[in-house]
Amino acid sequence: MAQEVEGRPLKETLALWTREQARLKARVVVRNTEAWQRDPAFSGLHRVGGVDVSFVKGDSGSACASLVVLSYPELQVLYEDSSMVSLTAPYVSGFLAFREAPFLVDAVQRLQAKEPSLMPQVILVDGNGVLHHQGFGVACHLGVLSDLPCIGVAKKLLQVDGLENNTLHREKIQLLQAGGDYFPLMGSSGAVLGVALKSHDHSTKPLYVSVGHKISLETAVRLTHHCCRFRIPEPVRQADIRSREYIHRTLELPGQAALKAREDPKAQRPKACPKEGSREPTDEAREGPQPRPQDRPESPKAKLPGMVEQGLAVEWNWAP
Protein backbone atom coordinates (compact mmCIF):
# COMPACT_ATOMS: atom_id res chain seq x y z
CA MET A 1 0.00 0.00 0.00
CA ALA A 2 2.86 2.38 0.85
CA GLN A 3 4.30 1.80 -2.59
CA GLU A 4 0.94 2.41 -4.24
CA VAL A 5 0.54 5.87 -2.74
CA GLU A 6 4.08 7.04 -3.36
CA GLY A 7 3.98 10.09 -5.60
CA ARG A 8 0.23 10.62 -5.26
CA PRO A 9 -1.21 13.94 -4.03
CA LEU A 10 -1.91 13.83 -0.28
CA LYS A 11 -5.67 14.27 -0.75
CA GLU A 12 -5.80 11.28 -3.09
CA THR A 13 -3.63 9.26 -0.73
CA LEU A 14 -5.93 9.94 2.22
CA ALA A 15 -8.99 8.95 0.22
CA LEU A 16 -7.30 5.69 -0.73
CA TRP A 17 -6.23 4.98 2.85
CA THR A 18 -9.67 5.79 4.23
CA ARG A 19 -11.31 3.25 1.91
CA GLU A 20 -8.70 0.60 2.67
CA GLN A 21 -8.91 1.22 6.41
CA ALA A 22 -12.69 0.77 6.36
CA ARG A 23 -12.38 -2.41 4.31
CA LEU A 24 -9.85 -3.97 6.69
CA LYS A 25 -11.67 -2.75 9.79
CA ALA A 26 -14.72 -4.80 8.83
CA ARG A 27 -12.58 -7.94 9.26
CA VAL A 28 -11.45 -7.24 12.84
CA VAL A 29 -12.47 -9.85 15.43
CA VAL A 30 -12.69 -8.64 19.04
CA ARG A 31 -13.27 -11.94 20.82
CA ASN A 32 -11.21 -14.98 21.76
CA THR A 33 -10.71 -17.38 18.87
CA GLU A 34 -8.04 -19.79 20.22
CA ALA A 35 -8.37 -22.49 22.87
CA TRP A 36 -5.38 -21.21 24.88
CA GLN A 37 -7.06 -17.82 25.27
CA ARG A 38 -9.92 -19.35 27.22
CA ASP A 39 -7.64 -21.18 29.67
CA PRO A 40 -6.95 -19.20 32.88
CA ALA A 41 -3.33 -20.38 32.84
CA PHE A 42 -2.95 -19.96 29.05
CA SER A 43 -2.23 -23.67 28.65
CA GLY A 44 -1.26 -24.32 25.04
CA LEU A 45 0.41 -20.94 24.57
CA HIS A 46 4.10 -21.48 23.79
CA ARG A 47 5.21 -18.54 21.61
CA VAL A 48 4.50 -14.82 21.93
CA GLY A 49 5.71 -12.24 19.43
CA GLY A 50 6.62 -8.60 19.75
CA VAL A 51 7.11 -5.91 17.09
CA ASP A 52 8.61 -2.46 17.14
CA VAL A 53 9.80 0.24 14.72
CA SER A 54 12.72 2.41 15.86
CA PHE A 55 13.84 5.50 13.98
CA VAL A 56 17.27 6.85 13.12
CA LYS A 57 17.90 10.16 14.84
CA GLY A 58 17.81 13.01 12.37
CA ASP A 59 16.37 10.89 9.55
CA SER A 60 12.59 10.47 9.72
CA GLY A 61 12.62 8.33 6.59
CA SER A 62 14.95 5.64 7.93
CA ALA A 63 13.95 3.11 10.56
CA CYS A 64 14.44 -0.43 11.75
CA ALA A 65 11.49 -2.83 11.87
CA SER A 66 11.94 -5.66 14.34
CA LEU A 67 10.05 -8.87 15.11
CA VAL A 68 10.95 -11.16 17.99
CA VAL A 69 9.40 -14.42 19.16
CA LEU A 70 9.70 -15.44 22.81
CA SER A 71 8.92 -18.69 24.57
CA TYR A 72 6.00 -18.63 26.98
CA PRO A 73 5.95 -18.59 29.95
CA GLU A 74 9.78 -18.45 30.10
CA LEU A 75 9.96 -15.30 27.94
CA GLN A 76 13.25 -16.32 26.32
CA VAL A 77 14.01 -15.07 22.79
CA LEU A 78 13.65 -17.85 20.21
CA TYR A 79 13.83 -15.77 17.03
CA GLU A 80 14.57 -12.25 15.90
CA ASP A 81 14.35 -10.40 12.60
CA SER A 82 15.51 -6.81 12.25
CA SER A 83 15.88 -4.89 9.01
CA MET A 84 16.46 -1.30 7.96
CA VAL A 85 13.53 0.16 6.03
CA SER A 86 12.78 3.36 4.14
CA LEU A 87 9.50 4.98 5.10
CA THR A 88 8.18 6.53 1.90
CA ALA A 89 4.55 6.91 2.98
CA PRO A 90 3.77 10.24 4.65
CA TYR A 91 2.96 10.44 8.36
CA VAL A 92 -0.70 11.33 8.84
CA SER A 93 -2.40 11.19 12.24
CA GLY A 94 -4.79 8.25 12.35
CA PHE A 95 -3.04 6.45 9.49
CA LEU A 96 0.28 5.46 11.08
CA ALA A 97 -0.27 1.81 10.14
CA PHE A 98 0.05 2.61 6.43
CA ARG A 99 3.53 3.92 7.17
CA GLU A 100 4.78 1.10 9.41
CA ALA A 101 2.60 -2.03 9.17
CA PRO A 102 3.77 -3.21 5.71
CA PHE A 103 7.29 -3.78 7.09
CA LEU A 104 5.96 -5.66 10.11
CA VAL A 105 3.84 -7.86 7.84
CA ASP A 106 6.94 -8.54 5.73
CA ALA A 107 8.80 -9.67 8.87
CA VAL A 108 6.00 -12.08 9.79
CA GLN A 109 6.00 -13.47 6.25
CA ARG A 110 9.78 -14.00 6.34
CA LEU A 111 9.38 -15.96 9.56
CA GLN A 112 6.62 -18.06 8.03
CA ALA A 113 8.91 -18.89 5.11
CA LYS A 114 12.08 -19.57 7.13
CA GLU A 115 10.92 -21.03 10.46
CA PRO A 116 7.19 -21.83 10.38
CA SER A 117 7.51 -23.82 13.60
CA LEU A 118 8.40 -20.57 15.41
CA MET A 119 5.39 -18.57 14.27
CA PRO A 120 3.97 -16.64 17.24
CA GLN A 121 0.52 -17.52 18.52
CA VAL A 122 -0.08 -13.88 19.48
CA ILE A 123 1.78 -10.62 18.79
CA LEU A 124 2.12 -7.68 21.17
CA VAL A 125 2.38 -4.46 19.16
CA ASP A 126 3.99 -1.20 20.24
CA GLY A 127 0.93 0.89 19.41
CA ASN A 128 -2.85 0.93 19.61
CA GLY A 129 -5.57 -1.42 18.49
CA VAL A 130 -9.23 -0.36 18.62
CA LEU A 131 -8.19 2.53 20.88
CA HIS A 132 -7.81 4.71 17.80
CA HIS A 133 -9.38 7.61 15.90
CA GLN A 134 -11.21 5.26 13.56
CA GLY A 135 -11.12 2.19 15.83
CA PHE A 136 -8.39 0.61 13.70
CA GLY A 137 -4.83 1.15 14.89
CA VAL A 138 -1.60 -0.55 13.87
CA ALA A 139 -2.30 -3.61 16.08
CA CYS A 140 -5.59 -4.17 14.22
CA HIS A 141 -3.91 -3.58 10.87
CA LEU A 142 -1.14 -6.13 11.53
CA GLY A 143 -3.61 -8.62 13.00
CA VAL A 144 -5.94 -8.57 10.02
CA LEU A 145 -3.15 -8.75 7.44
CA SER A 146 -1.26 -11.53 9.25
CA ASP A 147 -4.40 -13.33 10.49
CA LEU A 148 -2.80 -13.60 13.94
CA PRO A 149 -4.13 -12.52 17.35
CA CYS A 150 -2.68 -9.10 18.16
CA ILE A 151 -2.68 -6.82 21.21
CA GLY A 152 -2.09 -3.07 21.15
CA VAL A 153 0.20 -1.85 23.94
CA ALA A 154 0.75 1.92 24.03
CA LYS A 155 2.77 3.99 26.50
CA LYS A 156 0.68 7.14 26.15
CA LEU A 157 -3.07 7.67 26.10
CA LEU A 158 -4.42 8.39 22.64
CA GLN A 159 -7.09 10.99 23.34
CA VAL A 160 -10.01 9.89 21.20
CA ASP A 161 -13.77 9.57 21.72
CA GLY A 162 -13.68 12.01 24.65
CA LEU A 163 -10.81 10.28 26.49
CA GLU A 164 -8.51 12.84 28.08
CA ASN A 165 -5.34 12.73 30.11
CA ASN A 166 -6.89 15.14 32.60
CA THR A 167 -6.96 15.43 36.39
CA LEU A 168 -9.65 12.73 36.75
CA HIS A 169 -7.64 10.33 34.60
CA ARG A 170 -4.50 10.94 36.65
CA GLU A 171 -6.42 10.43 39.88
CA LYS A 172 -7.57 7.02 38.62
CA ILE A 173 -3.97 6.12 37.86
CA GLN A 174 -3.00 6.94 41.45
CA LEU A 175 -5.59 4.43 42.68
CA LEU A 176 -3.85 1.56 40.89
CA GLN A 177 -1.95 -0.14 43.71
CA ALA A 178 -0.31 -3.32 42.38
CA GLY A 179 0.86 -4.78 39.11
CA GLY A 180 -2.18 -6.15 37.30
CA ASP A 181 -4.60 -3.48 38.53
CA TYR A 182 -6.41 -1.57 35.79
CA PHE A 183 -9.40 0.57 34.97
CA PRO A 184 -11.48 0.66 31.76
CA LEU A 185 -11.19 3.44 29.20
CA MET A 186 -14.78 4.27 28.32
CA GLY A 187 -15.27 6.85 25.59
CA SER A 188 -18.05 9.40 25.29
CA SER A 189 -19.85 6.95 23.01
CA GLY A 190 -20.10 4.45 25.87
CA ALA A 191 -17.71 2.00 24.22
CA VAL A 192 -14.84 0.53 26.26
CA LEU A 193 -11.85 1.10 23.99
CA GLY A 194 -9.18 -0.41 26.24
CA VAL A 195 -7.77 -0.27 29.75
CA ALA A 196 -5.10 1.60 31.66
CA LEU A 197 -2.96 -1.18 33.17
CA LYS A 198 -0.42 -0.93 35.98
CA SER A 199 1.88 -3.54 34.53
CA HIS A 200 4.53 -3.50 37.25
CA ASP A 201 4.36 -3.10 41.03
CA HIS A 202 6.70 -0.11 41.06
CA SER A 203 5.71 1.59 37.82
CA THR A 204 4.10 5.01 38.15
CA LYS A 205 2.91 5.12 34.54
CA PRO A 206 0.28 2.76 33.12
CA LEU A 207 0.21 0.99 29.79
CA TYR A 208 -2.79 1.44 27.51
CA VAL A 209 -3.91 -1.97 26.32
CA SER A 210 -6.46 -2.51 23.56
CA VAL A 211 -7.67 -5.30 21.33
CA GLY A 212 -5.91 -5.67 18.02
CA HIS A 213 -7.44 -8.78 16.48
CA LYS A 214 -8.72 -12.24 17.45
CA ILE A 215 -8.61 -11.73 21.23
CA SER A 216 -10.88 -10.34 23.94
CA LEU A 217 -9.92 -7.31 25.98
CA GLU A 218 -9.91 -9.27 29.24
CA THR A 219 -7.53 -11.87 27.77
CA ALA A 220 -5.34 -9.16 26.23
CA VAL A 221 -4.95 -7.45 29.60
CA ARG A 222 -4.12 -10.64 31.49
CA LEU A 223 -1.58 -11.80 28.92
CA THR A 224 0.08 -8.38 28.72
CA HIS A 225 0.55 -8.37 32.48
CA HIS A 226 1.91 -11.92 32.48
CA CYS A 227 4.51 -10.87 29.89
CA CYS A 228 5.89 -8.03 32.03
CA ARG A 229 9.20 -8.43 33.82
CA PHE A 230 9.55 -4.66 33.72
CA ARG A 231 7.01 -1.97 32.88
CA ILE A 232 7.08 -2.81 29.16
CA PRO A 233 5.97 -6.33 28.10
CA GLU A 234 9.02 -8.43 27.35
CA PRO A 235 8.14 -9.15 23.67
CA VAL A 236 7.86 -5.42 22.91
CA ARG A 237 10.87 -4.58 25.08
CA GLN A 238 13.06 -7.11 23.29
CA ALA A 239 11.91 -5.93 19.87
CA ASP A 240 12.80 -2.37 20.86
CA ILE A 241 16.22 -3.33 22.24
CA ARG A 242 17.12 -5.36 19.17
CA SER A 243 15.92 -2.78 16.68
CA ARG A 244 18.09 -0.13 18.37
CA GLU A 245 21.10 -2.44 18.44
CA TYR A 246 20.60 -3.20 14.76
CA ILE A 247 20.58 0.52 13.93
CA HIS A 248 23.80 0.97 15.87
CA ARG A 249 25.49 -1.93 14.08
CA THR A 250 24.25 -0.85 10.67
CA LEU A 251 25.28 2.80 10.99
CA GLU A 252 28.67 2.05 12.50
CA LEU A 253 31.32 1.35 9.85
CA PRO A 254 33.57 -1.72 10.31
CA GLY A 255 36.39 -0.89 12.72
CA GLN A 256 34.79 2.42 13.65
CA ALA A 257 33.89 1.30 17.18
CA ALA A 258 37.44 0.22 17.99
CA LEU A 259 38.90 3.41 16.52
CA LYS A 260 36.52 5.58 18.55
CA ALA A 261 37.29 3.62 21.70
CA ARG A 262 41.00 4.33 21.26
CA GLU A 263 40.53 7.99 20.41
CA ASP A 264 37.67 8.85 22.77
CA PRO A 265 36.33 6.29 25.25
CA LYS A 266 33.25 8.46 25.82
CA ALA A 267 32.37 8.78 22.12
CA GLN A 268 28.71 8.05 21.40
CA ARG A 269 27.45 5.50 18.92
CA PRO A 270 24.92 6.60 16.29
CA LYS A 271 21.65 7.12 18.10
CA ALA A 272 18.37 5.36 17.52
CA CYS A 273 15.52 7.79 17.91
CA PRO A 274 12.25 6.44 19.35
CA LYS A 275 8.80 7.30 18.16
CA GLU A 276 7.62 10.46 19.83
CA GLY A 277 7.56 9.98 23.59
CA SER A 278 7.46 6.21 23.34
CA ARG A 279 10.66 5.02 25.02
CA GLU A 280 11.45 5.31 28.72
CA PRO A 281 14.50 3.16 29.52
CA THR A 282 14.87 4.76 32.96
CA ASP A 283 11.75 2.93 34.16
CA GLU A 284 13.46 -0.45 33.80
CA ALA A 285 16.62 0.66 35.54
CA ARG A 286 14.59 2.05 38.41
CA GLU A 287 12.13 -0.79 38.78
CA GLY A 288 14.22 -3.92 38.28
CA PRO A 289 12.83 -7.40 37.60
CA GLN A 290 9.83 -8.54 39.60
CA PRO A 291 8.25 -11.89 40.51
CA ARG A 292 6.14 -13.36 37.73
CA PRO A 293 2.49 -12.17 37.96
CA GLN A 294 1.19 -15.71 38.42
CA ASP A 295 3.37 -16.08 41.55
CA ARG A 296 1.81 -13.08 43.29
CA PRO A 297 -1.56 -12.91 45.04
CA GLU A 298 -4.39 -11.71 42.86
CA SER A 299 -5.23 -8.00 43.16
CA PRO A 300 -8.72 -6.59 42.80
CA LYS A 301 -9.45 -5.64 39.21
CA ALA A 302 -11.80 -3.04 37.87
CA LYS A 303 -14.89 -4.52 36.24
CA LEU A 304 -15.02 -3.92 32.52
CA PRO A 305 -18.56 -2.92 31.54
CA GLY A 306 -20.13 -5.33 29.10
CA MET A 307 -17.38 -7.92 29.50
CA VAL A 308 -18.20 -11.60 29.21
CA GLU A 309 -15.86 -14.52 29.60
CA GLN A 310 -15.63 -15.18 25.88
CA GLY A 311 -14.84 -11.63 24.90
CA LEU A 312 -15.94 -8.02 24.83
CA ALA A 313 -18.25 -6.50 22.29
CA VAL A 314 -16.42 -3.35 21.30
CA GLU A 315 -18.48 -0.74 19.57
CA TRP A 316 -16.85 0.78 16.50
CA ASN A 317 -16.91 4.56 16.36
CA TRP A 318 -16.05 6.58 13.26
CA ALA A 319 -14.62 10.04 13.62
CA PRO A 320 -16.63 12.73 11.79
Side-chain angles (χ1 to χ4, degrees):
M1 179 61 68
Q3 289 76 15
E4 290 180 19
V5 302
E6 188 174 359
R8 293 178 184 265
L10 181 58
K11 185 176 180 179
E12 187 176 341
T13 293
L14 292 181
L16 178 65
W17 283 354
T18 299
R19 291 194 299 271
E20 180 68 1
Q21 193 176 64
R23 185 183 71 83
L24 294 175
K25 178 180 172 180
R27 294 165 52 185
V28 171
V29 176
V30 292
R31 57 179 174 79
N32 290 330
T33 60
E34 312 301 317
W36 64 262
Q37 296 169 335
R38 293 182 282 272
D39 189 293
F42 296 129
S43 297
L45 176 62
H46 306 295
R47 297 174 306 281
V48 294
V51 293
D52 179 80
V53 177
S54 290
F55 292 84
V56 177
K57 187 173 183 179
D59 184 356
S60 61
S62 296
C64 178
S66 182
L67 163 70
V68 298
V69 180
L70 279 62
S71 60
Y72 186 87
E74 300 83 6
L75 300 178
Q76 299 299 312
V77 177
L78 304 174
Y79 173 91
E80 68 174 285
D81 178 317
S82 296
S83 61
M84 297 300 296
V85 298
S86 296
L87 303 172
T88 57
Y91 171 74
V92 180
S93 179
F95 296 93
L96 177 66
F98 289 96
R99 184 169 163 85
E100 298 183 2
F103 304 110
L104 302 178
V105 173
D106 287 346
V108 173
Q109 292 175 341
R110 285 194 297 271
L111 170 57
Q112 177 66 55
K114 291 190 297 185
E115 297 283 353
S117 63
L118 294 180
M119 282 291 288
Q121 294 164 275
V122 60
I123 298 178
L124 277 67
V125 181
D126 183 16
N128 290 294
V130 300
L131 176 55
H132 180 264
H133 305 83
Q134 286 84 36
F136 191 77
V138 64
C140 300
H141 206 115
L142 178 60
V144 169
L145 293 181
S146 66
D147 197 32
L148 290 171
C150 283
I151 301 170
V153 183
K155 303 174 190 68
K156 287 191 173 184
L157 176 65
L158 185 61
Q159 301 184 78
V160 297
D161 193 17
L163 295 174
E164 294 184 44
N165 188 12
N166 54 20
T167 301
L168 177 60
H169 182 77
R170 291 189 288 272
E171 288 175 352
K172 289 182 178 179
I173 291 174
Q174 294 301 314
L175 295 175
L176 301 176
Q177 297 297 310
D181 289 353
Y182 58 79
F183 61 85
L185 300 169
M186 180 179 289
S188 299
S189 64
V192 176
L193 303 178
V195 306
L197 168 69
K198 185 180 179 71
S199 61
H200 187 286
D201 284 344
H202 302 297
S203 179
T204 58
K205 299 178 181 179
L207 297 176
Y208 295 96
V209 180
S210 58
V211 171
H213 185 52
K214 285 189 167 184
I215 196 166
S216 74
L217 181 55
E218 181 182 27
T219 302
V221 173
R222 286 196 300 114
L223 180 58
T224 299
H225 179 228
H226 279 223
C227 286
C228 288
R229 287 175 170 167
F230 303 93
R231 177 188 174 225
I232 307 303
E234 197 65 10
V236 173
R237 195 178 79 92
Q238 288 297 328
D240 172 55
I241 290 172
R242 288 157 198 269
S243 63
R244 290 166 177 273
E245 289 177 346
Y246 191 84
I247 288 176
H248 294 153
R249 293 196 304 269
T250 301
L251 297 186
E252 204 163 50
L253 298 175
Q256 185 179 8
L259 178 62
K260 286 193 295 186
R262 289 196 297 270
E263 294 179 348
D264 181 5
K266 295 182 180 180
Q268 296 294 310
R269 297 184 298 177
K271 294 181 179 179
C273 179
K275 287 176 283 191
E276 183 179 356
S278 63
R279 309 284 185 255
E280 299 171 56
T282 55
D283 275 354
E284 294 171 11
R286 181 174 67 251
E287 293 163 4
Q290 293 290 301
R292 294 297 305 280
Q294 53 265 47
D295 297 332
R296 297 197 293 262
E298 286 294 322
S299 302
K301 308 294 190 297
K303 180 67 174 177
L304 295 181
M307 177 173 287
V308 295
E309 187 167 339
Q310 297 302 319
L312 175 69
V314 177
E315 182 180 333
W316 299 112
N317 296 286
W318 284 89

